[in-house]
Short mmCIF file of all heavy atoms in Angstrom, two decimals:
data_model
loop_
_atom_site.label_atom_id
_atom_site.label_comp_id
_atom_site.label_asym_id
_atom_site.label_seq_id
_atom_site.Cartn_x
_atom_site.Cartn_y
_atom_site.Cartn_z
N LYS A 14 66.24 -21.22 170.63
CA LYS A 14 66.62 -20.52 171.87
C LYS A 14 67.90 -19.72 171.67
O LYS A 14 68.03 -18.60 172.18
CB LYS A 14 66.86 -21.54 172.99
CG LYS A 14 65.62 -21.90 173.78
CD LYS A 14 66.01 -22.73 174.97
CE LYS A 14 65.00 -22.58 176.08
NZ LYS A 14 65.33 -23.39 177.23
N LEU A 15 68.84 -20.30 170.92
CA LEU A 15 70.11 -19.62 170.65
C LEU A 15 69.86 -18.37 169.80
O LEU A 15 70.41 -17.30 170.07
CB LEU A 15 71.08 -20.58 169.95
CG LEU A 15 72.43 -20.01 169.52
CD1 LEU A 15 73.19 -19.39 170.69
CD2 LEU A 15 73.30 -21.10 168.88
N ALA A 18 68.47 -15.80 172.04
CA ALA A 18 69.48 -15.27 172.96
C ALA A 18 70.36 -14.24 172.25
O ALA A 18 70.64 -13.17 172.79
CB ALA A 18 70.35 -16.40 173.51
N VAL A 19 70.76 -14.54 171.01
CA VAL A 19 71.62 -13.60 170.28
C VAL A 19 70.83 -12.35 169.92
O VAL A 19 71.28 -11.22 170.11
CB VAL A 19 72.24 -14.27 169.02
CG1 VAL A 19 72.98 -13.25 168.17
CG2 VAL A 19 73.20 -15.39 169.45
N LYS A 23 71.58 -11.82 174.98
CA LYS A 23 71.87 -12.57 176.21
C LYS A 23 73.21 -13.30 176.00
O LYS A 23 73.27 -14.32 175.29
CB LYS A 23 70.73 -13.57 176.48
CG LYS A 23 70.96 -14.49 177.66
CD LYS A 23 70.68 -13.83 178.98
CE LYS A 23 70.86 -14.81 180.14
NZ LYS A 23 70.85 -14.15 181.44
N VAL A 24 74.27 -12.80 176.61
CA VAL A 24 75.61 -13.31 176.34
C VAL A 24 75.82 -14.69 176.98
O VAL A 24 76.13 -15.66 176.30
CB VAL A 24 76.70 -12.33 176.86
CG1 VAL A 24 78.10 -12.87 176.55
CG2 VAL A 24 76.52 -10.96 176.23
N ASP A 25 75.63 -14.75 178.31
CA ASP A 25 75.79 -16.03 179.02
C ASP A 25 74.86 -16.05 180.23
O ASP A 25 74.17 -15.07 180.50
CB ASP A 25 77.26 -16.28 179.41
CG ASP A 25 77.83 -15.14 180.24
OD1 ASP A 25 77.04 -14.38 180.84
OD2 ASP A 25 79.05 -14.99 180.29
N LYS A 26 74.87 -17.17 180.94
CA LYS A 26 73.90 -17.35 182.03
C LYS A 26 73.99 -16.25 183.08
O LYS A 26 72.98 -15.77 183.60
CB LYS A 26 74.12 -18.73 182.67
CG LYS A 26 72.98 -19.13 183.57
CD LYS A 26 73.03 -20.60 183.91
CE LYS A 26 71.79 -20.94 184.71
NZ LYS A 26 71.62 -22.35 184.89
N LYS A 27 75.24 -15.84 183.40
CA LYS A 27 75.38 -14.84 184.49
C LYS A 27 75.10 -13.41 184.03
O LYS A 27 75.00 -12.50 184.85
CB LYS A 27 76.74 -14.97 185.16
CG LYS A 27 77.94 -14.69 184.28
CD LYS A 27 79.23 -14.83 185.10
CE LYS A 27 80.44 -14.35 184.38
NZ LYS A 27 80.67 -14.77 183.02
N SER A 28 74.93 -13.21 182.74
CA SER A 28 74.67 -11.86 182.24
C SER A 28 73.27 -11.38 182.68
O SER A 28 72.28 -12.08 182.47
CB SER A 28 74.78 -11.87 180.71
OG SER A 28 74.14 -10.75 180.18
N LEU A 34 65.41 -12.55 180.56
CA LEU A 34 66.09 -13.85 180.42
C LEU A 34 67.05 -14.11 181.60
O LEU A 34 67.94 -14.95 181.52
CB LEU A 34 66.87 -13.92 179.10
CG LEU A 34 66.05 -13.88 177.81
CD1 LEU A 34 66.94 -14.04 176.58
CD2 LEU A 34 64.98 -14.99 177.78
N ASP A 36 68.98 -15.46 184.66
CA ASP A 36 69.26 -16.83 185.13
C ASP A 36 69.05 -17.91 184.06
O ASP A 36 69.13 -19.10 184.35
CB ASP A 36 68.44 -17.19 186.39
CG ASP A 36 68.83 -16.32 187.56
OD1 ASP A 36 70.01 -15.90 187.62
OD2 ASP A 36 67.97 -16.03 188.42
N GLN A 37 68.74 -17.51 182.85
CA GLN A 37 68.60 -18.52 181.79
C GLN A 37 69.92 -18.63 181.01
O GLN A 37 70.74 -17.72 181.03
CB GLN A 37 67.48 -18.11 180.83
CG GLN A 37 66.11 -18.19 181.48
CD GLN A 37 65.01 -17.96 180.48
OE1 GLN A 37 65.11 -18.34 179.33
NE2 GLN A 37 63.94 -17.33 180.92
N ASP A 38 70.10 -19.76 180.33
CA ASP A 38 71.31 -19.91 179.52
C ASP A 38 71.40 -18.82 178.47
O ASP A 38 70.38 -18.38 177.92
CB ASP A 38 71.29 -21.27 178.80
CG ASP A 38 71.68 -22.40 179.73
OD1 ASP A 38 72.20 -22.12 180.84
OD2 ASP A 38 71.48 -23.57 179.35
N GLY A 39 72.63 -18.39 178.19
CA GLY A 39 72.85 -17.40 177.15
C GLY A 39 73.45 -18.07 175.92
O GLY A 39 73.55 -19.30 175.84
N ALA A 40 73.90 -17.22 174.97
CA ALA A 40 74.44 -17.75 173.71
C ALA A 40 75.64 -18.67 173.96
O ALA A 40 75.81 -19.67 173.27
CB ALA A 40 74.84 -16.58 172.81
N TYR A 41 76.46 -18.31 174.96
CA TYR A 41 77.65 -19.11 175.26
C TYR A 41 77.27 -20.56 175.58
O TYR A 41 77.77 -21.50 174.97
CB TYR A 41 78.40 -18.47 176.44
CG TYR A 41 79.63 -19.22 176.87
CD1 TYR A 41 80.86 -18.96 176.27
CD2 TYR A 41 79.57 -20.19 177.88
CE1 TYR A 41 82.00 -19.66 176.66
CE2 TYR A 41 80.69 -20.89 178.26
CZ TYR A 41 81.91 -20.62 177.65
OH TYR A 41 83.02 -21.32 178.02
N GLU A 42 76.33 -20.74 176.53
CA GLU A 42 75.96 -22.10 176.95
C GLU A 42 75.17 -22.82 175.86
O GLU A 42 75.36 -24.02 175.63
CB GLU A 42 75.09 -22.05 178.23
CG GLU A 42 75.81 -21.58 179.49
CD GLU A 42 75.88 -20.06 179.63
OE1 GLU A 42 75.21 -19.36 178.84
OE2 GLU A 42 76.61 -19.58 180.52
N LEU A 43 74.27 -22.08 175.18
CA LEU A 43 73.40 -22.73 174.19
C LEU A 43 74.21 -23.26 173.00
O LEU A 43 73.96 -24.36 172.51
CB LEU A 43 72.31 -21.76 173.73
CG LEU A 43 71.29 -21.38 174.82
CD1 LEU A 43 70.48 -20.15 174.41
CD2 LEU A 43 70.35 -22.55 175.13
N ALA A 44 75.21 -22.47 172.56
CA ALA A 44 76.03 -22.93 171.43
C ALA A 44 76.85 -24.15 171.85
O ALA A 44 77.00 -25.10 171.08
CB ALA A 44 76.95 -21.80 170.96
N LYS A 45 77.36 -24.11 173.09
CA LYS A 45 78.16 -25.25 173.61
C LYS A 45 77.28 -26.51 173.65
O LYS A 45 77.67 -27.57 173.18
CB LYS A 45 78.66 -24.89 175.01
CG LYS A 45 79.63 -25.86 175.62
CD LYS A 45 80.28 -25.21 176.85
CE LYS A 45 81.27 -26.15 177.52
NZ LYS A 45 80.63 -27.08 178.44
N ALA A 89 76.80 -11.23 172.30
CA ALA A 89 76.21 -12.57 172.47
C ALA A 89 76.69 -13.48 171.35
O ALA A 89 77.04 -14.65 171.59
CB ALA A 89 74.69 -12.48 172.50
N ALA A 93 78.89 -17.13 171.50
CA ALA A 93 78.64 -18.40 170.80
C ALA A 93 79.84 -18.76 169.92
O ALA A 93 80.24 -19.92 169.83
CB ALA A 93 77.39 -18.28 169.94
#
Side-chain angles (χ1 to χ4, degrees):
K14 271 189 154 179
L15 176 57
V19 172
K23 175 79 177 169
V24 181
D25 56 21
K26 193 165 185 170
K27 63 179 190 312
S28 162
L34 295 183
D36 296 330
Q37 291 188 34
D38 281 348
Y41 179 88
E42 292 84 9
L43 293 165
K45 187 167 180 276

